[in-house]
Amino acid sequence: MHTVSDPRRKVAGGIAILLLALQAGCGRSQKVSAGSEMAVGVQVGVVKVARKSLSRQLTVSSELVPFQEVDVFAKESGYVRDLLVDYGTRVTKGQVMAVLEIPELEVQLQQDEAAIKNAGQQVTRAEHELGRVEAQHKVYHLQFERLDGVAKTKPGLVAQQEVDDAQGKDLAAEAQVEADKSNLQAAQSVLLAAQAKKEHDRVLFEYSKIVAPFTGVVTQRYANLGTLLQAGTSSSTQAMPLVRLSQDDLFRLVIPVPESYVRYVRIGDPVDVNVTSLNHRFPGKVTRFSVDVREDTRTMHTEVDVPNPQHVLLPGLYAEATITLERKENAIAAPLQAVSHDGAQTSVYLVSAGKIEDRKVSLGIQTATDAEVVSGLQEGDLVVVSDRSGLKPGDYVRPQIVELIQYQTPKEE
């Protein structure tokens, strides 16, 4: 039996073989595309490790206080006769702010003047008396010398009794001279005492003028005209001050530096003082600190001097003081976004030869945006700053350098 082949069946078989070949080819193409994508990897954001100037800073809020502020008291009790200042009055050192009326001291000065005059008259009288007895002593002395000389050169010519009488008068006159000298010295001492008493009372009377101890501004006034001010030197009375005076061309800013930062604080360190209520920044510097740490707060009392030549600052304003504790120039730095902490270990994801590498690093000082890399990285290395949750060491990636945006508050000039 002979079988005749159907041409249509041959055509259908050829089409089926072609379709199978095409499907096989498409499958190989899809596999090659997937493999290529796995070889290239996903895109990640990276930043180049660079050298920067890094500084560690401490920002503390505190209250501005005048460099000096005192209540001005009267040295002597008296009534306010002239009041020359009021709230807000600016005064210079030594300027008279008030004059007191002290009648007792005025009378005392008159008495002192009379005592000086009387003592001066006593000195004059003693000087005249001394001159008189010195002249008399000179006469008696010459008489004695003449008689004594004659008695020695011509014995028997002058009676010894006369010589002895002349010598007695000479010695008596000499004793009187010494006595009058003592009287003169005593009178002079009385005069000096009277003059010292007057000077003492005059100095006290000068305290009737209450002057400014330093240049500043009057921030409080306690007395009015006619007010009786008690002497501020007496502890037995509650003396009332005249005014409160503040030095406002220089301010103090007290900063409690935490114990961990004490070792970084140095005299002369610059401080950026930001007064938010005035929307202005002022330059300051560390001027003094207590050199001890308080047990209750574990902080060190540190003072910053803030010049205020334009009198813009006011007592009581709050300010933020930023101290640069430590600074390093030309340090290898990496963004904090690239740093990962796992217990005591610190690492970054480094892109090397297109693959992720988990690199252990050691850090130095840290700022708000960067960290100093002491070891583990070199300048120019690429570190990952994008999301690392889907990454693991050994993955192929496509690094894309990105620019990190850092927000900083502009400084007032």
Side-chain angles (χ1 to χ4, degrees):
M1 181 177 179
H2 298 280
T3 304
V4 181
S5 60
D6 190 349
R8 291 179 296 180
R9 290 182 179 179
K10 294 181 179 180
V11 173
I15 293 173
I17 294 172
L18 180 60
L19 290 173
L20 291 172
L22 289 174
Q23 289 176 356
C26 289
R28 286 195 299 272
S29 177
Q30 290 174 357
K31 290 179 180 179
V32 171
S33 177
S36 299
E37 185 177 351
M38 290 178 64
V40 174
V42 298
Q43 181 174 300
V44 294
V46 297
V47 170
K48 278 188 177 182
V49 175
R51 292 186 178 273
K52 296 183 179 180
S53 295
L54 301 179
S55 59
R56 178 181 297 175
Q57 296 179 326
L58 172 67
T59 301
V60 181
S61 296
S62 186
E63 181 181 357
L64 285 163
V65 295
F67 188 77
Q68 296 183 90
E69 187 173 41
V70 297
D71 287 333
V72 182
F73 290 85
K75 173 74 173 180
E76 291 294 317
S77 300
Y79 295 94
V80 178
R81 186 181 67 191
D82 299 317
L83 184 59
L84 307 177
V85 295
D86 209 327
Y87 285 93
T89 302
R90 295 196 175 277
V91 296
T92 57
K93 182 178 180 180
Q95 180 177 334
V96 178
M97 296 188 293
V99 179
L100 302 182
E101 184 178 357
I102 312 176
E104 298 87 348
L105 282 179
E106 294 179 3
V107 173
Q108 186 62 51
L109 284 174
Q110 295 175 0
Q111 294 177 350
D112 293 339
E113 190 66 35
I116 290 175
K117 185 177 180 180
N118 182 54
Q121 292 174 350
Q122 295 298 327
V123 170
T124 302
R125 186 180 297 108
E127 289 174 344
H128 291 165
E129 183 65 19
L130 177 61
R132 186 185 67 79
V133 297
E134 283 180 340
Q136 189 177 23
H137 170 253
K138 184 176 181 181
V139 172
Y140 288 149
H141 185 66
L142 289 175
Q143 291 178 353
F144 167 69
E145 287 183 341
R146 292 193 191 99
L147 292 175
D148 187 56
V150 172
K152 289 180 179 178
T153 56
K154 297 179 180 180
L157 183 61
V158 179
Q160 186 63 36
Q161 181 66 36
E162 293 183 11
V163 175
D164 293 340
D165 289 343
Q167 184 179 15
K169 291 180 180 180
D170 180 30
L171 293 177
E174 184 178 359
Q176 186 62 41
V177 169
E178 295 299 325
D180 285 352
K181 285 183 178 180
S182 298
N183 292 336
L184 176 60
Q185 291 178 352
Q188 290 173 338
S189 297
V190 172
L191 176 60
L192 290 176
Q195 291 173 339
K197 180 67 166 53
K198 179 184 176 181
E199 181 64 20
H200 172 268
D201 293 337
R202 186 195 64 79
V203 171
L204 291 181
F205 188 72
E206 284 296 317
Y207 285 115
S208 63
K209 299 177 181 179
I210 303 178
V211 300
F214 51 81
T215 300
V217 61
V218 175
T219 57
Q220 290 284 340
R221 177 176 61 82
Y222 302 102
N224 297 306
L225 288 175
T227 301
L228 174 61
L229 295 182
Q230 298 291 337
T233 56
S234 176
S235 60
S236 60
T237 60
Q238 294 295 327
M240 180 178 65
L242 174 71
V243 295
R244 176 173 294 174
L245 185 64
S246 300
Q247 181 181 350
D248 62 344
D249 59 351
L250 184 64
F251 275 78
R252 298 176 190 257
L253 192 64
V254 179
I255 301 176
V257 176
E259 181 180 5
S260 57
Y261 296 110
V262 165
R263 61 193 178 101
Y264 298 110
V265 178
R266 297 290 184 273
I267 297 295
D269 285 349
V271 180
D272 179 55
V273 180
N274 180 25
V275 183
T276 55
S277 60
L278 300 179
N279 193 26
H280 197 81
R281 293 177 180 268
F282 299 84
K285 64 179 180 179
V286 176
T287 308
R288 65 196 68 83
F289 48 81
S290 61
V291 202
D292 70 334
V293 177
R294 294 185 57 179
E295 295 183 1
D296 53 348
T297 61
R298 307 309 302 171
T299 59
M300 181 177 71
H301 178 97
T302 305
E303 289 189 359
V304 175
D305 283 356
V306 184
N308 185 37
Q310 303 301 324
H311 305 111
V312 179
L313 296 174
L314 299 175
L317 290 179
Y318 271 89
E320 291 183 348
T322 302
I323 308 178
T324 300
L325 300 172
E326 187 179 10
R327 186 176 183 88
K328 285 197 176 180
E329 304 291 342
N330 202 30
I332 295 179
L336 289 179
Q337 294 154 268
V339 179
S340 176
H341 299 275
D342 183 12
Q345 296 292 330
T346 306
S347 63
V348 298
Y349 272 2
L350 176 70
V351 178
S352 178
K355 293 194 301 182
I356 294 292
E357 178 185 345
D358 189 8
R359 180 71 62 84
K360 299 294 187 294
V361 294
S362 297
L363 303 181
I365 68 173
Q366 298 183 25
T367 68
T369 57
D370 299 288
E372 177 194 10
V373 180
V374 179
S375 63
L377 293 178
Q378 295 181 352
E379 185 178 1
D381 287 345
L382 299 178
V383 292
V384 177
V385 293
S386 59
D387 184 19
R388 291 168 289 181
S389 59
L391 302 177
K392 61 181 181 296
D395 286 351
Y396 284 94
V397 293
R398 289 180 290 121
Q400 175 66 39
I401 296 180
V402 296
E403 183 178 355
L404 298 179
I405 300 177
Q406 300 176 358
Y407 295 96
Q408 295 182 351
T409 304
K411 291 185 178 182
E412 295 287 339
E413 297 294 339

